[in-house]
């Protein structure tokens, strides 16, 4: 067993608060060190019942912890990431889509000795995609279907005057392009595609379709990979979080599993 690692969490929303509660309940090898939240009074209320309430600090001060988890709005992604990487910490982003246009952070991490560990999130079969990408891959596509309310507020929709809440009867294709462009147009919606792109053939070659579908109640992702070693077809239906329909309930669980893997004696999967 590795030494105990301390964890700082940026954001106490649908992802961060769930993760903080799990860590406070006890995870071998990990200890909740600090949290950062925009509303300190609300954060104190949320942490009131904790066995060992963490310190509430500024975003940059989270880098005092060994591991910094980003579970905050995409607008502060770079601030959280830069501080953690500058200190040589382990940086675990939940807003993976925000990483794609900021790949210079990988070079900075290489210089400081930091690590950027991307959790699986809502993506099924990420290990298989990574394995296939060690060989020749001809195409990677992902089709994402979400209830219309789960897409509200995306910059791409606002720029193109697309009202997804007007989609009532038939599903509507609201975006088709590569994962890089999708990450900029839908920063809160395409973390699955971003993780897929990083695991596979890159954001420029990974194709994504985003559908507003009034007939689904779950965030549904279908991934197709054509590779020399295998043909993969995977579908996952994630239950949206009550607090934030853009986020699946599985996302904080995935981050928790990722953190366990950093200290576990037995680690299953690559």
């Amino acid at each position: 067993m590795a030494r105990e690692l301390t964890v700082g969490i940026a954001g106490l929303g649908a992802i961060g608060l769930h993760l903080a509660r799990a860590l406070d309940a006890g995870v071998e090898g990990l200890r909740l060190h600090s949290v950062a939240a925009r509303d300190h009074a609300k954060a104190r209320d949320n942490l009131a019942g904790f066995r060992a309430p963490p310190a509430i600090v500024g975003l940059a001060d989270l880098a005092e912890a060994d591991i910094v988890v980003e579970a905050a709005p995409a607008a502060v992604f770079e601030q959280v990431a830069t501080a953690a990487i500058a200190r040589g910490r382990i940086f675990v982003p939940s807003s993976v889509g925000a990483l794609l246009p900021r790949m210079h952070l990988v070079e900075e991490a290489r210089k400081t000795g930091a690590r950027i560990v991307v959790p699986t999130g809502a993506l099924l079969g990420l290990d298989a995609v990574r394995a296939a990408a060690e060989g020749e891959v001809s195409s990677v596509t992902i089709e994402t279907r979400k209830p219309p309310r789960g897409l509200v507020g995306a910059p791409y929709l606002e720029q193109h005057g697309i009202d997804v809440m007007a989609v009532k009867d038939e599903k509507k294709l609201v975006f088709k392009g590569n994962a890089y462009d999708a990450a900029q147009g839908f920063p809160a919606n395409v973390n699955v595609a971003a993780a897929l792109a990083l695991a596979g053939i890159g954001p420029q070659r990974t194709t994504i379709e985003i559908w507003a579908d009034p007939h689904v109640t779950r965030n549904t992702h279908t991934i197709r990979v054509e590779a020399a070693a295998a043909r993969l077809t995977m579908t996952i239906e994630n239950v949206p979080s009550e607090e934030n329909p853009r986020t699946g309930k599985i996302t904080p669980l995935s981050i928790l599993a990722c953190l366990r893997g950093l200290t576990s004696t037995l680690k299953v999967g690559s």
Side-chain angles (χ1 to χ4, degrees):
M1 173 63 64
R3 69 177 179 87
E4 182 181 73
L5 298 178
T6 55
V7 181
I9 302 174
L12 279 181
I15 298 172
L17 184 57
H18 189 290
L19 182 61
R21 286 171 175 158
L23 291 171
D24 182 67
V27 177
E28 188 175 13
L30 299 169
R31 178 173 60 83
L32 181 59
H33 173 274
S34 53
V35 299
R38 181 171 50 190
D39 187 335
H40 282 206
K42 184 178 179 181
R44 281 191 293 271
D45 289 341
N46 285 331
L47 299 171
F50 278 41
R51 297 188 306 178
I56 302 173
V57 301
L59 292 172
D61 294 327
L62 290 170
E64 295 294 326
D66 300 310
I67 304 169
V68 176
V69 177
E70 176 276 318
V76 299
F77 178 91
E78 191 155 359
Q79 185 178 351
V80 177
T82 300
I85 290 169
R87 293 286 300 274
R89 305 309 191 194
I90 299 172
F91 175 59
V92 179
S94 70
S95 305
V96 186
L99 181 61
L100 293 189
R102 298 176 174 86
M103 293 305 288
H104 65 277
L105 293 173
V106 178
E107 293 303 316
E108 290 301 316
R110 187 172 287 115
K111 295 175 185 175
T112 65
R115 294 177 64 204
I116 301 174
V117 179
V118 175
T120 300
L123 180 59
L124 176 73
L126 190 62
D127 277 4
V129 175
R130 290 180 58 194
E134 293 292 340
E136 182 181 345
V137 178
S138 57
S139 67
V140 177
T141 63
I142 177 170
E143 176 189 293
T144 291
R145 292 187 295 139
K146 291 194 172 188
R149 71 188 186 100
L151 294 167
V152 170
Y156 180 90
L157 300 180
E158 294 181 350
Q159 291 163 11
H160 291 80
I162 300 173
D163 179 10
V164 289
M165 293 308 292
V167 179
K168 300 295 184 182
D169 298 317
E170 299 297 326
K171 66 179 183 178
K172 178 181 177 64
L173 178 65
V174 296
F175 177 88
K176 182 175 182 179
N178 64 44
Y180 183 87
D181 292 337
Q184 298 189 76
F186 298 82
N189 294 103
V190 297
N191 292 317
V192 169
L196 179 67
L198 292 171
I201 55 177
Q204 300 290 354
R205 292 180 59 200
T206 301
T207 301
I208 177 171
E209 292 184 1
I210 301 175
W211 294 78
D213 190 340
H215 302 296
V216 300
T217 57
R218 301 186 176 193
N219 300 330
T220 304
H221 310 284
T222 300
I223 297 135
R224 298 178 178 86
V225 179
E226 290 286 344
R231 173 181 293 162
L232 310 175
T233 302
M234 304 166 282
T235 299
I236 184 169
E237 299 179 5
N238 297 312
V239 179
S241 164
E242 288 87 356
E243 299 94 330
N244 183 354
R246 299 176 184 86
T247 298
K249 285 186 174 182
I250 199 171
T251 302
L253 301 176
S254 170
I255 296 174
L256 180 60
C258 174
L259 296 183
R260 286 186 190 274
L262 296 175
T263 61
S264 296
T265 301
L266 172 64
K267 183 176 183 293
V268 179
S270 57

